[in-house]
């Protein structure tokens, strides 16, 4: 029977783990898989341990909604009856899903894991268990997203542990549940990002992205005191005409000025604008789309299948920004990609500021196995967090390229 143990704050920059990366990868997969013969016994979850991880960032990260110098993440360790371990991570953000690290722990305490974590005979049963996983209800959570970071951490830990036990990769989840969008790739390519860079730093970033061969870059806009037209003009001039530039407003604009702000930036050849309005004003985006040429992407307004269905009904967007922690885990994120494809919408895989190698590895598996991702973000590990919790560096390389795990 699975038991949950809550551990307090842990400063993991004094400890380093190889397990999260090895277990979320294909390392040794064939050998382990070959050792699992027909007639194998069921294996159960013996324990779930939850940790708070506080890790300083290498630099201050600021956008229109928040400024951050450190990250408080949730790490869950799943232990099977035979001693096999798996790890999962969630990144609670109150301005995205309404979660904090404290509320995530409280929700985990209230949730009935013992009644849901049945014994599994194979990886297919483990995947089914992970998809059925439900946390305790949150009062007033109509959108079904106020426990998504916590659910993500538990789900990934379970999939990781059973994947190690049965010698299966996290990418196999895509093949099992969404074969119509399963497309394994040897390499994936990440976007660059510009957050708070002003004139000189924008110029330097533009040159760096060009020299290092990046094909896509996301620029944060809408911050008070920033001249976005000047920043984009500089990015386009020095970054080159071929680089794909998209914007992220992080809910910065209002229904009264959103069309004007987007139109002012369209001459610089932008490919998408992410979350230009607060979630409370998202219904206005239907009319905004009629008045601007640039595709609209939802982020803070796309945290669950409920959100996705409302977005399609209201004709609010052209693209979804899917993030594993924000959307409740690997499987809910996969279902959102399926839904977007069915509805003829584009989708990207994004990331949360402060993700460690655990989420980076899960995101790499998603990106290397899901077809049709318009953009890819993540694996900023050594560029952003002072401790990525792994002995293997998953940071993307030259031009944003990274190898599948």
């Amino acid at each position: 029977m699975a038991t949950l143990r809550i551990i307090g704050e842990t400063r993991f920059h004094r400890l380093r783990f190889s397990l999260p990366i090895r277990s979320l990868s294909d390392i040794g997969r064939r050998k382990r898989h070959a050792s699992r013969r027909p007639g194998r016994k069921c294996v159960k979850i013996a324990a779930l341990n939850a940790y708070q991880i506080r890790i300083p960032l290498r630099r201050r990260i600021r956008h229109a909604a928040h400024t951050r110098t450190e990250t408080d993440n949730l790490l869950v360790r799943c232990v099977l009856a035979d001693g096999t371990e798996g790890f999962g991570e969630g990144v609670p953000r109150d301005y995205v899903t309404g979660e904090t690290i404290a509320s995530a722990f409280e929700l985990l305490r209230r949730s009935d894991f013992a009644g849901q974590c049945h014994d599994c005979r194979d990886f297919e049963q483990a995947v089914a268990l992970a998809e059925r996983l439900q946390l305790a209800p949150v009062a007033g959570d109509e959108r079904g997203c106020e426990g998504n970071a916590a659910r993500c951490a538990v789900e990934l830990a379970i999939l990781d542990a059973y994947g190690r036990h049965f010698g299966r990769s996290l990418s196999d989840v895509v093949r099992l549940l969404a074969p119509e969008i399963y497309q394994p790739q040897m390499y994936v390519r990440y976007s660059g990002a510009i957050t708070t860079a002003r004139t000189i730093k924008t110029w330097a970033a533009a040159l760096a992205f060009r020299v290092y061969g990046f094909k896509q870059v996301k620029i944060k806009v809408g911050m008070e005191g920033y001249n976005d037209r000047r920043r984009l003009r500089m990015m386009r001039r020095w970054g080159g005409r071929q680089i794909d530039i998209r914007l992220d407003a992080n809910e910065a604009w209002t229904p009264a000025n959103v069309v004007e702000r987007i139109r002012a930036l369209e001459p610089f050849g932008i490919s998408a604008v992410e979350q230009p309005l607060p979630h409370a004003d998202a219904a206005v985006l239907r009319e905004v789309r009629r008045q601007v040429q640039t595709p609209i992407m939802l982020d803070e307004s796309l945290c669950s299948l409920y959100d996705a269905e409302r977005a399609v009904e209201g004709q609010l967007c052209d693209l979804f920004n899917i993030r594993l922690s924000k959307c409740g885990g690997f499987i809910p994120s996969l279902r959102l990609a399926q839904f977007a494809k069915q509805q003829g919408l584009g989708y990207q895989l994004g990331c949360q500021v402060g993700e460690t190698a655990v989420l980076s590895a899960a995101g790499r598996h998603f990106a290397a196995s899901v077809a049709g991702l318009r953009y890819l973000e993540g694996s900023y590990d050594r560029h952003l967090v002072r401790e990525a919790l792994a002995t293997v560096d998953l940071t993307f390389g030259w031009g944003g390229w990274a190898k599948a795990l």
Side-chain angles (χ1 to χ4, degrees):
M1 180 178 294
T3 60
L4 175 70
R5 183 185 179 202
I6 303 294
I7 315 296
E9 178 184 329
T10 305
R11 294 192 176 276
F12 270 86
H13 57 273
R14 293 181 298 185
L15 284 171
R16 305 198 71 186
F17 289 83
S18 60
L19 287 173
I21 301 309
R22 189 167 182 267
S23 57
L24 282 170
S25 74
D26 289 320
I27 298 173
R29 174 181 170 183
R30 292 183 180 178
K31 182 177 179 180
R32 294 197 308 272
H33 187 56
S35 67
R36 302 299 193 257
R37 297 183 176 88
R40 53 186 174 266
K41 295 181 180 180
C42 291
V43 62
K44 64 182 179 180
I45 297 174
L48 292 168
N49 298 328
Y51 305 82
Q52 175 185 353
I53 315 167
R54 177 167 292 172
I55 298 177
L57 304 180
R58 292 191 177 276
R59 65 181 187 278
R60 184 183 70 164
I61 300 297
R62 178 189 172 197
H63 54 68
H66 198 80
T67 299
R68 182 175 302 282
T69 58
E70 61 184 13
T71 181
D72 279 307
N73 296 3
L74 173 67
L75 183 75
V76 171
R77 172 174 172 261
C78 175
V79 183
L80 303 184
D82 67 348
T84 304
E85 295 179 315
F87 293 86
E89 181 183 18
V91 185
R93 296 290 183 256
D94 57 353
Y95 53 89
V96 179
T97 59
E99 298 171 274
T100 64
I101 192 71
S103 71
F105 276 116
E106 192 274 333
L107 181 60
L108 290 177
R109 290 189 183 95
R110 292 195 295 108
S111 299
D112 176 22
F113 294 107
Q116 300 181 71
C117 295
H118 306 295
D119 300 357
C120 295
R121 185 176 297 275
D122 52 34
F123 189 64
E124 286 73 10
Q125 289 187 356
V127 171
L129 183 159
E131 181 161 28
R132 293 193 305 267
L133 184 70
Q134 292 185 340
L135 272 58
V138 177
D141 181 23
E142 181 184 28
R143 297 169 62 196
C145 66
E146 292 188 28
N148 278 0
R151 189 196 181 282
C152 177
V154 176
E155 180 220 62
L156 287 179
I158 291 173
L159 290 172
D160 189 16
Y162 277 111
R164 284 176 60 82
H165 177 81
F166 292 117
R168 301 288 289 274
S169 163
L170 189 58
S171 299
D172 285 345
V173 175
V174 183
R175 181 177 58 82
L176 291 170
L177 299 184
E180 75 279 11
I181 58 172
Y182 177 60
Q183 183 178 310
Q185 304 172 66
M186 288 298 296
Y187 290 88
V188 296
R189 197 171 197 178
Y190 290 88
S191 300
I194 295 178
T195 55
T196 58
R198 292 181 185 267
T199 308
I200 297 300
K201 289 186 177 180
T202 299
W203 171 77
L207 285 179
F209 286 133
R210 188 169 187 170
V211 169
Y212 284 97
F214 279 82
K215 295 299 183 183
Q216 300 172 345
V217 63
K218 179 164 84 171
I219 301 179
K220 298 285 188 177
V221 296
M223 293 174 287
E224 186 175 354
Y226 281 69
N227 187 324
D228 290 329
R229 282 182 57 84
R230 180 182 300 171
R231 295 170 74 217
L232 261 67
R233 183 183 298 112
M234 188 166 293
M235 181 66 213
R236 179 56 73 196
R237 178 180 179 184
W238 296 102
R241 297 176 61 184
Q242 301 303 315
I243 194 165
D244 181 300
I245 299 175
R246 66 188 186 278
L247 310 180
D248 185 0
N250 288 108
E251 305 181 299
W253 298 324
T254 69
N257 68 17
V258 61
V259 172
E260 175 189 356
R261 296 297 172 86
I262 294 175
R263 284 178 174 174
L265 302 176
E266 285 183 329
F268 302 104
I270 54 179
S271 61
V273 177
E274 185 178 332
Q275 199 67 39
L277 291 174
H279 174 68
D281 297 321
V284 178
L285 291 173
R286 178 173 184 170
E287 182 59 31
V288 171
R289 292 177 64 218
R290 294 172 178 167
Q291 299 184 50
V292 301
Q293 300 177 5
T294 307
I296 301 298
M297 184 188 304
L298 292 186
D299 181 13
E300 287 87 348
S301 293
L302 193 280
C303 298
S304 63
L305 185 58
Y306 176 92
D307 283 348
E309 291 171 345
R310 300 293 85 73
V312 170
E313 291 172 5
Q315 301 177 30
L316 306 183
C317 68
D318 304 280
L319 303 109
F320 290 169
N321 182 3
I322 300 169
R323 296 190 275 176
L324 299 184
S325 178
K326 177 193 73 169
C327 296
F330 195 95
I331 297 175
S333 296
L334 181 62
R335 296 305 190 193
L336 285 172
Q338 280 183 304
F339 181 78
K341 184 174 179 61
Q342 292 165 2
Q343 300 301 321
L345 298 178
Y347 49 98
Q348 74 156 48
L349 181 66
C351 67
Q352 306 276 167
V353 172
E355 290 183 0
T356 74
V358 180
L359 271 169
S360 291
R364 184 74 56 82
H365 277 287
F366 193 98
S369 56
V370 173
L373 291 174
R374 187 77 58 86
Y375 307 107
L376 175 60
E377 300 167 7
S379 284
Y380 292 107
D381 300 31
R382 73 169 179 269
H383 296 308
L384 188 55
V385 293
R386 292 197 177 276
E387 174 54 69
L389 306 187
T391 55
V392 178
D393 183 10
L394 289 186
T395 309
F396 54 72
W398 187 280
W401 286 105
K403 190 175 181 178
L405 298 177

